[in-house]
Amino acid sequence: VVPAAAPTPKTFVPAPTDGTVAAIDRALLAEAGMIVPGGSVSVLAEEFRLVKRQLLLTARKLSDPAKARTIAICSARPDEGKTFCALNLGISMAAERDTNVLLVDGDFAKRDLLPRMGLTNGRGFLDALGDESLDPESLVVRTDIPQLSLLGAGTRTNGDTELLASDRTSEVIARLLAADPKRIVLFDTPPALAASPAAVFALHAGQVMLVV
């Protein structure tokens, strides 16, 4: 009997926040069954085209211009595919000609949005909430997927819900939207029945996509 070869360990690279472009691991995306930018139009890609079209059409009907550009992706419980859907939706929306996408990891306990793309976590959203002198745009990670940027969850803290519920959150989101008039911000939130921040994120979003 020939023993099975040990799986090749995955290599993660630091997510740069100095303006340089981060290379997204497309092999990692393919291995996870996600949309691969530049690849053929799969059934999955077509399904997310349908989802994003509905979200974009609904956004045009919202009276609040800021909330029209914010969408929260949520699920009821863990392991229902919320982050999988958030990533695919972000990649699909970034293919639009007139839309730039900022995908924010708001699942502070899990924090696996960037690692799913081959990047390590660093400073991010929580750091911007906790430090008023910090420009949130300086923490945004540009990627080599055209029109797609990322903002990691940031440094762990036991007061994540309290930070999120503060007035600073509205200021941070407003600054992220003001930095790019074409930007749509997608929040990958924690599961609604597992963590309290999901309900707070919903207050700042014009739409909520519930993954069932």
mmCIF file of all heavy atoms in Angstrom, residues 14 20 41 47 49 51 55 59 61 66 71-72 78 81-82 99 112 118 126 132 147 166-167 183 189 196-197 204:
data_model
loop_
_atom_site.group_PDB
_atom_site.id
_atom_site.type_symbol
_atom_site.label_atom_id
_atom_site.label_comp_id
_atom_site.label_asym_id
_atom_site.label_seq_id
_atom_site.Cartn_x
_atom_site.Cartn_y
_atom_site.Cartn_z
ATOM 1 N N PRO A 14 1.001 38.390 3.307
ATOM 2 C CA PRO A 14 0.423 39.539 4.016
ATOM 3 C C PRO A 14 -0.384 40.418 3.067
ATOM 4 O O PRO A 14 -0.002 40.626 1.916
ATOM 5 C CB PRO A 14 1.651 40.278 4.558
ATOM 6 C CG PRO A 14 2.736 39.253 4.582
ATOM 7 C CD PRO A 14 2.458 38.343 3.424
ATOM 8 N N THR A 20 0.075 49.148 -2.690
ATOM 9 C CA THR A 20 0.445 48.120 -3.656
ATOM 10 C C THR A 20 -0.708 47.131 -3.813
ATOM 11 O O THR A 20 -1.577 47.017 -2.964
ATOM 12 C CB THR A 20 1.712 47.375 -3.215
ATOM 13 O OG1 THR A 20 1.490 46.810 -1.918
ATOM 14 C CG2 THR A 20 2.903 48.322 -3.138
ATOM 15 N N VAL A 41 -17.741 31.291 -17.904
ATOM 16 C CA VAL A 41 -18.986 31.586 -17.195
ATOM 17 C C VAL A 41 -19.630 30.271 -16.765
ATOM 18 O O VAL A 41 -20.199 29.545 -17.574
ATOM 19 C CB VAL A 41 -19.948 32.396 -18.085
ATOM 20 C CG1 VAL A 41 -21.242 32.678 -17.331
ATOM 21 C CG2 VAL A 41 -19.297 33.698 -18.514
ATOM 22 N N GLU A 47 -25.560 32.221 -11.578
ATOM 23 C CA GLU A 47 -26.459 32.368 -10.430
ATOM 24 C C GLU A 47 -26.179 33.669 -9.685
ATOM 25 O O GLU A 47 -27.109 34.377 -9.274
ATOM 26 C CB GLU A 47 -26.309 31.165 -9.498
ATOM 27 C CG GLU A 47 -26.913 29.891 -10.056
ATOM 28 C CD GLU A 47 -26.631 28.678 -9.177
ATOM 29 O OE1 GLU A 47 -25.753 28.778 -8.291
ATOM 30 O OE2 GLU A 47 -27.293 27.652 -9.372
ATOM 31 N N ARG A 49 -24.830 36.313 -10.977
ATOM 32 C CA ARG A 49 -25.260 37.408 -11.841
ATOM 33 C C ARG A 49 -26.725 37.761 -11.568
ATOM 34 O O ARG A 49 -27.098 38.928 -11.518
ATOM 35 C CB ARG A 49 -25.100 37.012 -13.316
ATOM 36 C CG ARG A 49 -23.701 37.183 -13.878
ATOM 37 C CD ARG A 49 -23.662 36.723 -15.326
ATOM 38 N NE ARG A 49 -22.439 37.117 -16.000
ATOM 39 C CZ ARG A 49 -22.142 36.774 -17.247
ATOM 40 N NH1 ARG A 49 -22.994 36.006 -17.939
ATOM 41 N NH2 ARG A 49 -21.027 37.169 -17.810
ATOM 42 N N VAL A 51 -28.360 37.194 -8.760
ATOM 43 C CA VAL A 51 -28.464 37.772 -7.417
ATOM 44 C C VAL A 51 -28.031 39.236 -7.426
ATOM 45 O O VAL A 51 -28.719 40.112 -6.898
ATOM 46 C CB VAL A 51 -27.607 36.973 -6.415
ATOM 47 C CG1 VAL A 51 -27.588 37.669 -5.057
ATOM 48 C CG2 VAL A 51 -28.149 35.554 -6.271
ATOM 49 N N LEU A 55 -30.027 42.960 -6.543
ATOM 50 C CA LEU A 55 -29.517 43.886 -5.530
ATOM 51 C C LEU A 55 -29.226 45.261 -6.122
ATOM 52 O O LEU A 55 -29.545 46.295 -5.517
ATOM 53 C CB LEU A 55 -28.250 43.318 -4.888
ATOM 54 C CG LEU A 55 -28.445 42.086 -3.999
ATOM 55 C CD1 LEU A 55 -27.100 41.441 -3.689
ATOM 56 C CD2 LEU A 55 -29.156 42.462 -2.705
ATOM 57 N N ALA A 59 -31.118 48.761 -5.235
ATOM 58 C CA ALA A 59 -30.327 49.886 -4.724
ATOM 59 C C ALA A 59 -30.744 51.198 -5.376
ATOM 60 O O ALA A 59 -30.746 52.250 -4.731
ATOM 61 C CB ALA A 59 -28.840 49.620 -4.954
ATOM 62 N N LYS A 61 -33.603 52.127 -6.143
ATOM 63 C CA LYS A 61 -34.902 52.579 -5.638
ATOM 64 C C LYS A 61 -34.824 53.171 -4.234
ATOM 65 O O LYS A 61 -35.796 53.749 -3.751
ATOM 66 C CB LYS A 61 -35.891 51.401 -5.629
ATOM 67 C CG LYS A 61 -36.109 50.766 -6.990
ATOM 68 C CD LYS A 61 -37.009 49.537 -6.881
ATOM 69 C CE LYS A 61 -37.151 48.822 -8.211
ATOM 70 N NZ LYS A 61 -37.988 47.601 -8.087
ATOM 71 N N ALA A 66 -26.442 56.989 0.477
ATOM 72 C CA ALA A 66 -25.372 56.246 1.161
ATOM 73 C C ALA A 66 -25.789 54.802 1.383
ATOM 74 O O ALA A 66 -25.038 53.864 1.074
ATOM 75 C CB ALA A 66 -25.032 56.919 2.484
ATOM 76 N N ILE A 71 -24.483 46.926 1.461
ATOM 77 C CA ILE A 71 -25.222 45.661 1.509
ATOM 78 C C ILE A 71 -24.574 44.767 2.561
ATOM 79 O O ILE A 71 -23.352 44.603 2.573
ATOM 80 C CB ILE A 71 -25.203 44.947 0.144
ATOM 81 C CG1 ILE A 71 -25.827 45.840 -0.946
ATOM 82 C CG2 ILE A 71 -25.933 43.603 0.213
ATOM 83 C CD1 ILE A 71 -25.636 45.305 -2.356
ATOM 84 N N ALA A 72 -25.395 44.195 3.426
ATOM 85 C CA ALA A 72 -24.903 43.239 4.425
ATOM 86 C C ALA A 72 -25.276 41.832 3.985
ATOM 87 O O ALA A 72 -26.414 41.590 3.570
ATOM 88 C CB ALA A 72 -25.504 43.545 5.788
ATOM 89 N N PRO A 78 -24.032 29.648 11.882
ATOM 90 C CA PRO A 78 -22.724 29.418 11.249
ATOM 91 C C PRO A 78 -22.778 28.289 10.219
ATOM 92 O O PRO A 78 -23.683 27.456 10.232
ATOM 93 C CB PRO A 78 -21.830 29.030 12.439
ATOM 94 C CG PRO A 78 -22.539 29.539 13.654
ATOM 95 C CD PRO A 78 -23.992 29.466 13.344
ATOM 96 N N GLY A 81 -22.741 29.054 4.546
ATOM 97 C CA GLY A 81 -22.227 29.531 3.268
ATOM 98 C C GLY A 81 -22.249 31.030 3.099
ATOM 99 O O GLY A 81 -22.142 31.535 1.976
ATOM 100 N N LYS A 82 -22.322 31.765 4.198
ATOM 101 C CA LYS A 82 -22.419 33.221 4.137
ATOM 102 C C LYS A 82 -21.175 33.860 3.507
ATOM 103 O O LYS A 82 -21.286 34.677 2.589
ATOM 104 C CB LYS A 82 -22.648 33.750 5.549
ATOM 105 C CG LYS A 82 -22.483 35.235 5.726
ATOM 106 C CD LYS A 82 -22.570 35.615 7.188
ATOM 107 C CE LYS A 82 -21.555 34.895 8.039
ATOM 108 N NZ LYS A 82 -20.144 35.260 7.705
ATOM 109 N N THR A 99 -18.992 49.908 -11.435
ATOM 110 C CA THR A 99 -19.058 49.632 -10.002
ATOM 111 C C THR A 99 -17.707 49.173 -9.463
ATOM 112 O O THR A 99 -17.079 48.286 -10.038
ATOM 113 C CB THR A 99 -20.109 48.537 -9.712
ATOM 114 O OG1 THR A 99 -21.398 48.985 -10.133
ATOM 115 C CG2 THR A 99 -20.163 48.218 -8.231
ATOM 116 N N ASP A 112 -12.173 35.013 8.345
ATOM 117 C CA ASP A 112 -11.524 34.171 7.337
ATOM 118 C C ASP A 112 -11.770 34.643 5.907
ATOM 119 O O ASP A 112 -11.489 33.917 4.961
ATOM 120 C CB ASP A 112 -11.949 32.709 7.493
ATOM 121 C CG ASP A 112 -13.425 32.484 7.183
ATOM 122 O OD1 ASP A 112 -14.180 33.465 7.137
ATOM 123 O OD2 ASP A 112 -13.814 31.317 6.987
ATOM 124 N N GLY A 118 -6.160 33.814 0.043
ATOM 125 C CA GLY A 118 -4.718 33.627 0.093
ATOM 126 C C GLY A 118 -3.961 34.737 0.781
ATOM 127 O O GLY A 118 -2.738 34.837 0.648
ATOM 128 N N LEU A 126 -11.929 46.901 12.608
ATOM 129 C CA LEU A 126 -11.968 47.151 14.046
ATOM 130 C C LEU A 126 -10.941 48.200 14.462
ATOM 131 O O LEU A 126 -11.196 49.003 15.372
ATOM 132 C CB LEU A 126 -11.731 45.851 14.820
ATOM 133 C CG LEU A 126 -12.911 44.881 14.910
ATOM 134 C CD1 LEU A 126 -12.473 43.571 15.537
ATOM 135 C CD2 LEU A 126 -14.063 45.500 15.704
ATOM 136 N N GLU A 132 -9.677 56.909 16.291
ATOM 137 C CA GLU A 132 -10.269 57.992 15.508
ATOM 138 C C GLU A 132 -9.251 58.738 14.660
ATOM 139 O O GLU A 132 -9.624 59.468 13.734
ATOM 140 C CB GLU A 132 -11.007 58.961 16.434
ATOM 141 C CG GLU A 132 -12.216 58.332 17.123
ATOM 142 C CD GLU A 132 -13.046 59.352 17.881
ATOM 143 O OE1 GLU A 132 -12.704 60.557 17.821
ATOM 144 O OE2 GLU A 132 -14.034 58.941 18.515
ATOM 145 N N GLN A 147 -11.302 46.313 -9.838
ATOM 146 C CA GLN A 147 -12.451 46.940 -9.183
ATOM 147 C C GLN A 147 -12.887 46.250 -7.885
ATOM 148 O O GLN A 147 -13.972 46.502 -7.383
ATOM 149 C CB GLN A 147 -13.642 47.051 -10.147
ATOM 150 C CG GLN A 147 -13.352 47.909 -11.354
ATOM 151 C CD GLN A 147 -14.401 47.822 -12.454
ATOM 152 O OE1 GLN A 147 -14.068 47.836 -13.630
ATOM 153 N NE2 GLN A 147 -15.654 47.736 -12.090
ATOM 154 N N SER A 166 -20.948 52.249 18.218
ATOM 155 C CA SER A 166 -20.583 53.640 18.495
ATOM 156 C C SER A 166 -20.842 54.524 17.275
ATOM 157 O O SER A 166 -21.031 54.049 16.162
ATOM 158 C CB SER A 166 -19.104 53.721 18.889
ATOM 159 O OG SER A 166 -18.272 53.432 17.769
ATOM 160 N N ASP A 167 -20.832 55.842 17.518
ATOM 161 C CA ASP A 167 -21.035 56.803 16.430
ATOM 162 C C ASP A 167 -19.901 56.742 15.408
ATOM 163 O O ASP A 167 -20.075 57.163 14.258
ATOM 164 C CB ASP A 167 -21.123 58.225 16.996
ATOM 165 C CG ASP A 167 -22.373 58.431 17.846
ATOM 166 O OD1 ASP A 167 -23.345 57.670 17.652
ATOM 167 O OD2 ASP A 167 -22.372 59.344 18.681
ATOM 168 N N ARG A 183 -18.185 53.254 -5.457
ATOM 169 C CA ARG A 183 -17.961 52.113 -4.575
ATOM 170 C C ARG A 183 -19.261 51.596 -3.954
ATOM 171 O O ARG A 183 -20.081 52.364 -3.475
ATOM 172 C CB ARG A 183 -16.983 52.504 -3.466
ATOM 173 C CG ARG A 183 -16.749 51.427 -2.423
ATOM 174 C CD ARG A 183 -15.746 51.888 -1.380
ATOM 175 N NE ARG A 183 -14.368 51.812 -1.897
ATOM 176 C CZ ARG A 183 -13.310 52.298 -1.245
ATOM 177 N NH1 ARG A 183 -13.476 52.929 -0.089
ATOM 178 N NH2 ARG A 183 -12.095 52.164 -1.759
ATOM 179 N N THR A 189 -21.163 39.749 7.480
ATOM 180 C CA THR A 189 -21.451 39.893 8.901
ATOM 181 C C THR A 189 -21.431 38.544 9.609
ATOM 182 O O THR A 189 -21.476 37.497 8.970
ATOM 183 C CB THR A 189 -22.834 40.540 9.122
ATOM 184 O OG1 THR A 189 -23.860 39.544 8.982
ATOM 185 C CG2 THR A 189 -23.083 41.666 8.132
ATOM 186 N N SER A 196 -24.037 39.134 18.175
ATOM 187 C CA SER A 196 -24.827 40.365 18.183
ATOM 188 C C SER A 196 -24.442 41.402 17.125
ATOM 189 O O SER A 196 -25.296 42.208 16.744
ATOM 190 C CB SER A 196 -24.755 41.014 19.574
ATOM 191 O OG SER A 196 -23.416 41.197 19.985
ATOM 192 N N PRO A 197 -23.200 41.458 16.607
ATOM 193 C CA PRO A 197 -22.873 42.499 15.637
ATOM 194 C C PRO A 197 -23.722 42.487 14.371
ATOM 195 O O PRO A 197 -23.842 43.521 13.713
ATOM 196 C CB PRO A 197 -21.397 42.218 15.306
ATOM 197 C CG PRO A 197 -20.865 41.568 16.525
ATOM 198 C CD PRO A 197 -21.978 40.713 17.031
ATOM 199 N N HIS A 204 -26.841 49.857 9.361
ATOM 200 C CA HIS A 204 -26.035 50.682 8.460
ATOM 201 C C HIS A 204 -26.168 50.269 6.997
ATOM 202 O O HIS A 204 -25.573 50.912 6.128
ATOM 203 C CB HIS A 204 -24.564 50.611 8.876
ATOM 204 C CG HIS A 204 -24.287 51.161 10.245
ATOM 205 N ND1 HIS A 204 -24.179 52.509 10.493
ATOM 206 C CD2 HIS A 204 -24.118 50.541 11.445
ATOM 207 C CE1 HIS A 204 -23.945 52.697 11.787
ATOM 208 N NE2 HIS A 204 -23.900 51.518 12.380
#
